[in-house]
Amino acid sequence: MGTHTDAHIVWDWNGTLFHDVDAVIGATNAAFGELGLEPITLERYRELYCVPVPRFYERLMGRLPSEAEWELMDATFHRYYTEHRVRCGLAEGVTELLAGWASAGRSQSILSMYGHEDLVPLVRDFGIEAHFIRVDGRTGPSGGSKAEHMVRHLGALTGIDPERTVVIGDAADDALAARHVGARAVLYTGGSHGRASLEAVGVPVVDSLQEAVAEAERLAAAA
């Protein structure tokens, strides 16, 4: 794999590199429909979304879902999402950004809470796999935090300094996972959270991935 001494980016996938917000909202509303809940708008979703995901459902239901309800909603979400993700594509400018970062001799990887067995072929199908030194999706149950996954992800990389690593994602949990391993974070408003909830985390918030990469470069240089 080699040793990388320059800045490293850990990219999130869903809502960041992969612009799948329409499929996510549709899948969420399909899950809500299983319990007779009213559909949610994108704005409301971005206002309330959090992890663990059952806590997000609690904000909408006024209580935590039972284990049986959670299993039903989770299965419905993933079934709908899998059917509709095919209509989604990469976020604007992603291919050029990835190529530019790599051509500058810097490294990058993906850590996603999307299932590993689904993530890897999807990244490969978009023709961008070669830009990453590692691609990790979630193993184990869905709905949890990214922090411990981030520990394992960085631990599997050779020659990557957490202090010169920047996590780019669309959720507050991405910043919390970065903090957990001593990395920096930049949060992007194009996915699951609105600007107000992202700014509350206390890390840089940007409206484009071009800005996110520029901010990552600045943060890594200052480390």
Side-chain angles (χ1 to χ4, degrees):
M1 184 180 296
T3 299
H4 302 269
T5 57
D6 209 337
H8 178 80
I9 290 176
V10 178
W11 291 96
D12 175 53
W13 179 249
N14 303 93
T16 304
L17 292 176
F18 189 46
H19 186 67
D20 61 348
V21 66
D22 290 338
V24 168
I25 296 300
T28 299
N29 285 329
F32 288 170
E34 292 287 354
L35 299 188
L37 299 174
E38 290 296 316
I40 189 172
T41 64
L42 173 59
E43 291 72 26
R44 185 69 170 156
Y45 180 94
R46 285 175 166 166
E47 178 186 349
L48 296 178
Y49 180 76
C50 65
V51 296
V53 175
R55 294 291 182 186
F56 168 53
Y57 290 160
E58 181 183 26
R59 291 181 173 186
L60 293 159
M61 299 169 63
R63 61 174 177 81
L64 278 170
S66 68
E67 184 174 346
E69 287 173 333
W70 161 249
E71 290 177 357
L72 175 62
M73 295 171 81
D74 190 49
T76 301
F77 178 95
H78 287 289
R79 183 173 62 250
Y80 182 101
Y81 179 85
T82 298
E83 291 172 359
H84 290 267
R85 75 179 188 194
V86 294
R87 302 175 186 173
C88 303
L90 297 176
E92 183 179 356
V94 160
T95 302
E96 294 78 11
L97 286 171
L98 297 177
W101 187 264
S103 67
R106 304 186 181 105
S107 59
Q108 53 199 329
S109 59
I110 293 176
L111 175 61
S112 173
M113 295 300 282
Y114 191 42
H116 184 77
E117 298 303 319
D118 293 313
L119 173 67
V120 171
L122 190 55
V123 172
R124 185 175 299 132
D125 287 347
F126 277 114
I128 58 174
E129 184 181 26
H131 294 309
F132 305 105
I133 61 173
R134 190 174 182 89
V135 176
D136 281 334
R138 170 187 50 79
T139 56
S142 63
S145 172
K146 187 178 274 190
E148 291 306 318
H149 294 271
M150 187 68 74
V151 172
R152 291 191 291 272
H153 181 73
L154 287 187
L157 301 178
T158 301
I160 299 299
D161 181 358
E163 292 187 0
R164 293 183 60 77
T165 296
V166 180
V167 176
I168 298 179
D170 68 313
D173 190 53
D174 291 301
L176 298 178
R179 192 173 299 161
H180 188 67
V181 296
R184 312 291 183 90
V186 178
L187 298 180
Y188 163 60
T189 62
S192 62
H193 281 34
R195 175 173 279 275
S197 59
L198 293 178
E199 288 179 339
V201 183
V203 303
V205 177
V206 298
D207 296 318
S208 73
L209 294 182
Q210 289 82 357
E211 294 174 87
V213 170
E215 189 65 19
E217 189 168 10
R218 186 189 68 79
L219 288 172

